[in-house]
Amino acid sequence: MKIKRLFGLLLASIGAVSAYGQVSDLEKLKQEGRDLFDMEKYHEALTKFNEILKVSPNEQEAMYEKAYCLSKLKANREAKEILEESIKIKDRPYSLLNEYNLLGMLYSDEGRQLEAIDCYEKAATFLDSASNTIQAKVYYNLADQLFSLSAENREKRKDWEDEALRYSHLAISCSPNCGPAYYIVGNIISNMGAFHQALSAYLMFALYNSDAPRYIEDDLATWKSMGLKMESGDRSIITFNIVKELMQNKPSEYGKLYDIFSAAFEVPMNDSTDIPIPVSYSYDIWGQSIFPLIAELSRKGLLECFLHLTLANTRNDKGVMANDQWLMEHEEKYKELENYLSELRIFNSDLRMGFIPEPFDFKTAEEAHKHITDVMGCCQYYIEHLSDDPKMGEARKYIASWSAVASDVNIKIGPTEAKLFSRHPEFQAYYHAACLFYALMHNEKTFTKNAYTGGLYVIIGVYNRLKELKRIANDEELEKLCDISKNDKDSFNKYVEENYNKIH
């Protein structure tokens, strides 16, 4: 059995952004130049593009490809000059996505971080018609550059952490196999005290990067100097303590990361009806990404196999052979995992947008608990779409049907929310879906301040989207809420505290 064959089902490389979306009318020289470039014959390819530019000095594709060849030949100064000249030329037949992306990479190589970010941000404005792979590449470049900012430049981009996290999620949403983006997520949110979600991100990083163990272990070693934060929930506290203990212990035959992942993701917790469910029953990646993989694997009894598979494909000196041997000794379980992963819809979905589950006539809380992943996906779908989407009625019906029998979370509203919903009735369903999503994500048994805050953020997001589309008039109260949520965290936290307390 070849262990690595399964990864063909999961991995699609995130390559360089190509300048050619349509090839029907390309001249012979262009085709020859591209072929030579693909064969890494950059000097020969450069000759072809130079021939084109002698005849047509402003030919956009040839200018870009010449710059790309020069960058491969380490002639970065010349490459930048060509790109900067190309960007200045008006009435270009194609967008400047490729030019700005490559220019950002060249600035990055020179350590000109803020200029690189500026170029990547400009490239991102041309992504509407780009493929998911290209979008993931640009978003990851942005996240990586922000994450790598020097201390001096972080002072100039004070929002670097939030933005790096946002762009990492966008990269993952566009391409779930964007491994390095998971690393950025794990590093940032562990500093926020979200240790369980961070470990989930590190697991996904290990799945997609053979060099991951050394980076992950270095990061986990720093946890011993960290402390728990007010925002750290029960799962994060358990994970934090497991990691601190196991990092000090001698690893098992399967390696230290296997020991940590298996211990952290199999810790049981009880929901409000005392039915044992795994800690990872909800979505574990922080923020807006839906990634129910860990939860579903645990439910299906495939998590152990998945962990062995992940670490067998890394350069993990302590354990690779043992992980590989385990898989060979459990071939039936491995085949079951292979079949499941090949059918898993999440690898073919836009993770930001959620999904509409198959209709289900819920009769009992026990039935509802078997569909937590589905109702969370449905909540996410509702959160990410506007009310005129043709499937919103279907999503609303599923959430209401699930909520009617599940006793887990009773979503509440206070006087402030009641006034808001009287002015904007459509916001109440968004509030309910968001509060439910965040409560389930954190395995909370009551309506907590965390869930309430999630509901507010979604209302703010929907309001801003409707304003951009000129489909809602300015609301004075919502304008104030939008302002403090963005510019005055202390006032926003005070608003949350006061209005959450009014509910209780």
Side-chain angles (χ1 to χ4, degrees):
M1 177 179 64
K2 295 182 179 180
I3 300 303
K4 296 189 190 298
R5 66 191 174 93
L6 177 55
F7 273 55
L9 299 168
L10 304 176
L11 305 183
S13 65
I14 300 178
V17 179
S18 169
Y20 296 97
Q22 299 178 349
V23 296
S24 58
D25 299 323
L26 293 180
E27 295 89 343
K28 181 180 178 182
L29 282 174
K30 284 186 185 177
Q31 187 62 56
E32 291 173 354
R34 288 201 313 276
D35 291 343
L36 289 165
F37 185 94
D38 290 342
M39 291 186 285
E40 300 183 0
K41 296 181 178 181
Y42 303 124
H43 286 288
E44 293 91 330
L46 191 60
T47 300
K48 299 295 181 182
F49 296 121
N50 278 333
E51 288 184 44
I52 296 170
L53 293 171
K54 283 180 183 178
V55 178
S56 180
N58 292 336
E59 213 288 329
Q60 182 180 355
E61 291 179 331
M63 292 181 77
Y64 168 75
E65 289 293 6
K66 178 178 179 178
Y68 205 176
C69 286
L70 289 168
S71 72
K72 293 293 186 181
L73 295 170
K74 306 301 181 185
N76 287 4
R77 183 180 60 80
E78 294 175 63
K80 282 191 302 175
E81 288 175 355
I82 292 171
L83 292 170
E84 289 165 351
E85 179 186 347
S86 180
I87 288 169
K88 292 176 183 177
I89 299 172
K90 297 181 180 180
D91 300 323
R92 285 312 214 172
Y94 306 106
S95 81
L96 293 171
L97 165 62
N98 297 290
E99 285 82 352
Y100 278 121
N101 190 64
L102 180 54
L103 190 57
M105 293 168 69
L106 296 173
Y107 282 137
S108 177
D109 288 345
E110 294 178 352
R112 296 164 66 178
Q113 295 176 318
L114 297 179
E115 290 161 290
I117 291 170
D118 181 63
C119 286
Y120 291 141
E121 288 177 332
K122 288 175 179 174
T125 65
F126 297 103
L127 288 176
D128 285 349
S129 59
S131 69
N132 281 352
T133 298
I134 292 175
Q135 290 187 53
K137 179 67 174 178
V138 174
Y139 287 137
Y140 172 71
N141 285 345
L142 267 166
D144 183 52
Q145 199 63 221
L146 287 158
F147 181 66
S148 305
L149 282 176
S150 64
E152 180 183 356
N153 285 333
R154 286 181 177 181
E155 283 299 309
K156 297 175 182 177
R157 286 290 300 245
K158 293 186 182 296
D159 63 345
W160 71 269
E161 201 167 43
D162 289 341
E163 288 294 280
L165 197 56
R166 182 170 74 88
Y167 284 122
S168 294
H169 281 302
L170 286 171
I172 292 168
S173 300
C174 295
S175 182
N177 59 6
C178 187
Y182 289 106
Y183 174 76
I184 294 174
V185 171
N187 186 285
I188 291 176
I189 65 177
S190 64
N191 291 328
M192 295 177 176
F195 297 107
H196 188 72
Q197 291 90 338
L199 198 65
S200 302
Y202 285 138
L203 173 59
M204 301 314 298
F205 176 48
L207 173 64
Y208 293 116
N209 288 78
S210 60
D211 288 325
R214 62 190 179 95
Y215 293 103
I216 297 173
E217 289 196 27
D218 285 347
D219 274 12
L220 296 184
T222 68
W223 286 20
K224 63 184 179 182
S225 62
M226 294 183 182
L228 294 169
K229 300 188 178 182
M230 288 182 64
E231 295 81 4
S232 299
D234 290 344
R235 293 185 301 160
S236 282
I237 294 170
I238 293 170
T239 300
F240 180 75
N241 291 327
I242 286 172
V243 170
K244 282 180 58 176
E245 178 182 352
L246 292 180
M247 284 298 291
Q248 307 303 318
N249 293 353
K250 182 179 179 181
S252 71
E253 62 178 314
Y254 300 124
K256 186 165 289 186
L257 285 186
Y258 175 84
D259 300 342
I260 289 171
F261 288 143
S262 59
F265 294 128
E266 289 290 5
V267 174
M269 293 182 73
N270 291 337
D271 64 8
S272 56
T273 56
D274 295 326
I275 298 173
I277 60 173
V279 147
S280 301
Y281 200 91
S282 59
Y283 302 94
D284 292 305
I285 302 302
W286 188 266
Q288 294 301 307
S289 296
I290 290 184
F291 214 103
L293 179 61
I294 297 169
E296 290 299 286
L297 290 170
S298 186
R299 264 202 330 183
K300 293 176 179 295
L302 295 172
L303 182 58
E304 181 181 16
C305 185
F306 181 75
L307 295 177
H308 283 296
L309 172 70
T310 298
L311 296 172
N313 284 278
T314 66
R315 297 190 182 100
N316 175 26
D317 295 336
K318 297 179 180 178
V320 167
M321 295 302 294
N323 295 129
D324 199 62
Q325 182 65 32
W326 188 97
L327 290 167
M328 288 188 286
E329 292 173 355
H330 297 80
E331 188 164 0
E332 288 189 12
K333 184 65 74 174
Y334 174 78
K335 287 180 178 178
E336 185 182 349
L337 175 65
E338 180 182 37
N339 291 335
Y340 172 64
L341 291 178
S342 67
E343 297 170 358
L344 192 62
R345 79 172 103 180
I346 208 70
F347 284 103
N348 300 312
S349 302
D350 184 338
L351 304 184
R352 289 170 292 175
M353 308 312 288
F355 57 88
I356 305 288
E358 291 295 321
F360 192 92
D361 184 18
F362 295 106
K363 301 293 187 185
T364 66
E366 287 75 16
E367 286 181 338
H369 293 150
K370 295 176 183 178
H371 292 266
I372 290 181
T373 297
D374 287 333
V375 77
M376 292 185 73
C378 196
C379 287
Q380 184 74 354
Y381 186 93
Y382 202 93
I383 291 167
E384 294 297 337
H385 292 77
L386 295 178
S387 56
D388 59 353
D389 181 277
K391 293 186 177 179
M392 289 295 265
E394 189 179 341
R396 213 164 29 241
K397 183 177 179 181
Y398 190 95
I399 295 169
S401 174
W402 187 92
S403 300
V405 300
S407 56
D408 299 71
V409 184
N410 180 21
I411 307 301
K412 300 177 181 180
I413 64 172
T416 303
E417 294 72 48
K419 290 179 182 178
L420 170 63
F421 299 150
S422 69
R423 300 194 305 274
H424 305 286
E426 69 275 19
F427 285 175
Q428 186 163 358
Y430 284 105
Y431 174 83
H432 181 91
C435 291
L436 180 58
F437 177 87
Y438 286 104
L440 292 173
M441 183 173 74
H442 294 284
N443 201 21
E444 293 167 342
K445 303 173 185 178
T446 59
F447 181 60
T448 65
K449 187 165 40 175
N450 173 71
Y452 174 68
T453 306
L456 292 182
Y457 272 122
V458 167
I459 288 174
I460 291 168
V462 173
Y463 173 68
N464 284 328
R465 277 186 281 167
L466 291 173
K467 264 204 328 178
E468 288 175 8
L469 295 170
K470 302 186 186 307
R471 288 167 51 180
I472 192 171
N474 276 16
D475 182 295
E476 185 177 349
E477 293 301 317
L478 282 174
E479 287 294 324
K480 291 179 183 177
L481 185 58
C482 289
D483 180 59
I484 63 173
S485 70
K486 184 178 181 181
N487 301 314
D488 188 349
K489 294 298 183 185
D490 289 339
S491 294
F492 180 73
N493 291 336
K494 183 179 178 181
Y495 177 95
V496 169
E497 186 74 28
E498 290 177 354
N499 286 285
Y500 175 73
N501 288 338
K502 289 178 184 178
I503 296 174
H504 294 272

